[in-house]
Amino acid sequence: MTSVVNSPVASFLESGSKQLWIDGAWRPAADGAVIESINPSTGEVLCSFAAGGAADVDAAVAAARRAFEGPWSRFTPVQRQNVLLAFADLVDEHADELTHLDVLDMGAPIGRPVSSFTPAEVLRYYAGWATKIHGETISNSVSPDIFTYTRREPVGVVGSIIPWNGPLGSAIFKIAPVLATGCTMVLKPAEDASLSSVRLMELFAELNVPAGVVNLVTGVGSAAGAALVEHPGVDKVAFTGSTAVGQQIVRAAAGNLKRLSLELGGKSPDIVFADADLERAVPGAGMGVFANTGQVCCAGTRIFVERPIYEEFVEGLAHFADSLKVGNSLDAQTQIGPIVSQRQLNRVSGYVTSGLEEGARAVTGGRRIETDGLASGYFLRPAVFADVKDEMRIAREEIFGPVASVMPFDTVEEALARSNATTYGLGGGVWTNDLGRAHRVAHGLRTGVVWVNGYGYFDPAVPFGGHKQSGWGSELSVHSLEEYLNTKAVWVTT
Ligand code: NAP
Ligand code: MG
């Protein structure tokens, strides 16, 4: 192995208990409960952290409310901008350490960042917006003596719940628009990957920000998460996770009609036409499904290939999958790390079995790796299934693991109809050298994002979000900001 645990991370792991950050202070869970953090590359316990519950969520929401109505409401846009810039500098200074925590906690390979931008860039992008949130003056026809204008006001206390597959980025995507708009928040990271959020809060604590603006309650979804979603003191929930939990959140939020933004699951199509440049399309579509061990919401898991190149593509993809170096996430050579947990490994393996049982052609992969010192981790060889039928479970359900389903098609209309025949609508890809066809397919896909001749690019300025049952609203960009603002009209009779 070419990399070792870096020393700030080692001291973080060895330092005292990882607690809840509530009202500007660290405290254990009210009932003293903790959760163990597991390194999925080795199955070893890294450390433990607090498992907050309803009482802790109560305290955090109360602190967030006090901050929202108190000192934070008097911060000017420039002051909020400066908070974001100062936080960005701290996050940059500690970038290696923060990344390293995710590497250990959920198995993201150390040499392979999932996104092309850094977390600090997202904070700086939103720092720019803090000073550019404004209403409008409107000419009304009621009376020339009445002046009308709008104000853009923060929605209030936000409950932000994130998944484990990109923990650091997900936390930053939620914190940045909260600070830019003047909201306050309670963050609940996933139990399988909470460490980078704890370290982020330690850094946040160094800033000169009133207590309670950002609070962290680590814990399990059914306790801390559910308490946050049901809490009458929460004005909005910003959730990233599975569609099944998203549906529960919609129901639970009905009590006080919380604003909701939902970034949910997907079963994204990637369409490869016969005129595509296969040198690019094979590895592009391959990483579109296998990157981050397939644990990507917009993974292009249903690969539709035009019939004349179908066999050639299947063979190329299998060869590509076999060439990927699967290994310990700390090894700089590793391209594909472990699956996040034993439970997820079992789930993904269950889908491999179902593909075999339903008669898909297993071209390569899909078996657990128990050699090369990987037996105690949760490693699976990237799997390629060919001749998959649309009605098979592996073609319909989100697997969230390194499993590709490849299917032939004959016409553009057929490819579009089958691509859209899903309850999801997150990502989509098209590979072709015909520009007109690329645009037609991009417009025809009922998804929130489409990549042409490349897959999985992101940028802080570009919205990312799902249509259909893949979500409500957008993450990143000015569109995410909108999710944290209310509009008020003011009529002034002069
Ligand atoms: P998940 O099971 O839905 O969990 C997401 C978060 O919700 C976790 O923090 C979880 O807590 C919490 N939670 C669970 N039950 C809850 C409840 N009843 N009330 C409130 N919170 C609850 O999803 P996951 O397995 O962590 O992540 C994978 C999913 O996220 C996939 O479906 C993926 O597509 C989706 N995702 C979507 C996007 C996007 O931008 N569209 C991005 C990344 C991931 P615990 O895990 O701690 O129990
Ligand atoms: Mg872990």
Side-chain angles (χ1 to χ4, degrees):
M1 217 177 298
T2 53
S3 187
V4 291
V5 178
N6 87 3
S7 59
V9 168
S11 25
F12 172 80
L13 294 177
E14 284 155 20
S15 66
S17 55
K18 281 100 195 127
Q19 300 188 330
L20 313 175
W21 173 249
I22 296 176
D23 205 11
W26 294 99
R27 58 165 92 168
D31 64 1
V34 295
I35 298 171
E36 283 185 337
S37 161
I38 308 287
N39 177 350
S41 291
T42 61
E44 286 163 5
V45 175
L46 289 162
C47 63
S48 62
F49 59 91
D56 304 299
V57 166
D58 253 350
V61 171
R65 176 63 56 193
R66 281 193 298 276
F68 180 70
E69 289 174 0
W72 183 236
S73 66
R74 290 187 291 280
F75 266 55
T76 64
V78 166
Q79 287 175 310
R80 293 202 308 274
Q81 167 196 270
N82 290 342
V83 167
L84 278 155
L85 292 175
F87 192 31
D89 288 346
L90 273 176
V91 167
D92 253 352
E93 267 170 52
H94 296 271
D96 285 350
E97 185 189 338
L98 289 163
T99 309
H100 209 110
L101 278 170
D102 282 354
V103 166
L104 291 175
D105 202 2
M106 55 70 64
I110 195 158
R112 306 241 143 204
V114 180
S115 72
S116 49
F117 55 83
T118 66
E121 285 163 25
V122 179
L123 294 168
R124 294 198 181 101
Y125 172 82
Y126 282 101
W129 275 115
T131 54
K132 294 162 196 73
I133 298 168
H134 44 68
E136 52 198 346
T137 61
I138 303 171
S139 310
N140 70 77
S141 300
V142 176
S143 161
D145 297 328
I146 298 179
F147 168 58
T148 332
Y149 64 94
T150 60
R151 281 168 52 78
R152 305 288 279 146
E153 298 180 343
V155 298
V157 175
V158 181
S160 303
I161 302 178
I162 56 173
W164 45 261
N165 61 320
L168 177 59
S170 292
I172 295 280
F173 292 0
K174 301 294 190 226
I175 295 170
V178 159
L179 296 177
T181 53
C183 291
T184 59
M185 77 190 284
V186 179
L187 175 66
K188 207 302 279 178
E191 60 185 286
D192 281 332
S194 292
L195 299 184
S196 54
S197 289
V198 175
R199 187 68 188 112
L200 259 188
M201 285 306 102
E202 290 184 353
L203 298 176
F204 192 80
E206 294 181 26
L207 301 172
N208 199 9
V209 176
V213 170
V214 179
N215 305 273
L216 173 75
V217 179
T218 48
V220 302
S222 55
L228 196 53
V229 169
E230 283 160 15
H231 204 293
V234 172
D235 299 298
K236 168 196 163 66
V237 166
F239 173 75
T240 303
S242 61
T243 293
V245 173
Q247 288 163 335
Q248 287 178 38
I249 286 177
V250 170
R251 283 188 283 271
N256 67 335
L257 287 180
K258 290 179 181 67
R259 284 272 298 266
L260 290 180
S261 48
L262 304 170
E263 299 291 334
L264 308 177
K267 192 72 193 173
S268 301
D270 202 1
I271 306 172
V272 186
F273 286 93
D275 69 344
D277 175 358
L278 283 192
E279 301 266 306
R280 283 166 63 195
V282 169
M287 283 320 269
V289 55
F290 298 132
N292 208 33
T293 322
Q295 303 168 131
V296 176
C297 50
C298 53
T301 48
R302 292 185 295 146
I303 307 178
F304 295 98
V305 182
E306 203 171 11
R307 202 171 300 273
I309 58 159
Y310 177 66
E311 285 305 335
E312 183 187 355
F313 184 92
V314 169
E315 200 178 304
L317 186 67
H319 189 258
F320 176 78
D322 290 343
S323 75
L324 291 169
K325 167 117 177 52
V326 182
N328 189 308
S329 59
L330 272 180
D331 186 336
Q333 305 306 314
T334 291
Q335 293 169 286
I336 306 290
I339 287 173
V340 71
S341 63
Q342 178 71 56
R343 191 180 45 167
Q344 273 303 108
L345 175 66
N346 295 346
R347 211 178 142 263
V348 176
S349 301
Y351 276 107
V352 172
T353 307
S354 104
L356 294 170
E357 285 172 358
E358 291 194 276
R361 170 156 59 107
V363 186
T364 191
R367 279 177 308 282
R368 185 170 187 176
I369 307 176
E370 302 196 82
T371 53
D372 305 326
L374 302 182
S376 58
Y378 317 127
F379 295 93
L380 195 79
R381 279 264 17 127
V384 176
F385 279 103
D387 307 347
V388 176
K389 300 283 183 284
D390 294 343
E391 60 279 9
M392 292 179 182
R393 280 183 63 212
I394 56 168
R396 286 187 291 113
E397 298 176 18
E398 183 179 48
I399 299 174
F400 225 56
V403 183
S405 292
V406 192
M407 298 164 269
F409 74 88
D410 293 297
T411 66
V412 184
E413 294 71 27
E414 178 200 342
L416 272 175
R418 291 171 63 197
S419 292
N420 289 334
T422 167
T423 54
Y424 293 112
L426 192 49
V430 49
W431 301 82
T432 179
N433 280 324
D434 179 334
L435 187 60
R437 182 160 61 190
H439 282 292
R440 275 198 300 284
V441 173
H443 297 185
L445 285 173
R446 294 188 59 208
T447 61
V449 55
V450 176
W451 290 284
V452 178
N453 293 333
Y455 202 94
Y457 299 116
F458 297 90
D459 187 276
V462 181
F464 179 80
H467 296 179
K468 296 156 74 178
Q469 291 181 38
S470 289
W472 292 349
S474 291
E475 195 101 277
L476 299 171
S477 82
V478 66
H479 298 284
S480 171
L481 215 58
E482 298 292 328
E483 307 287 340
Y484 294 81
L485 293 168
N486 281 326
T487 301
K488 174 186 283 174
V490 182
W491 296 73
V492 183
T493 305
T494 56

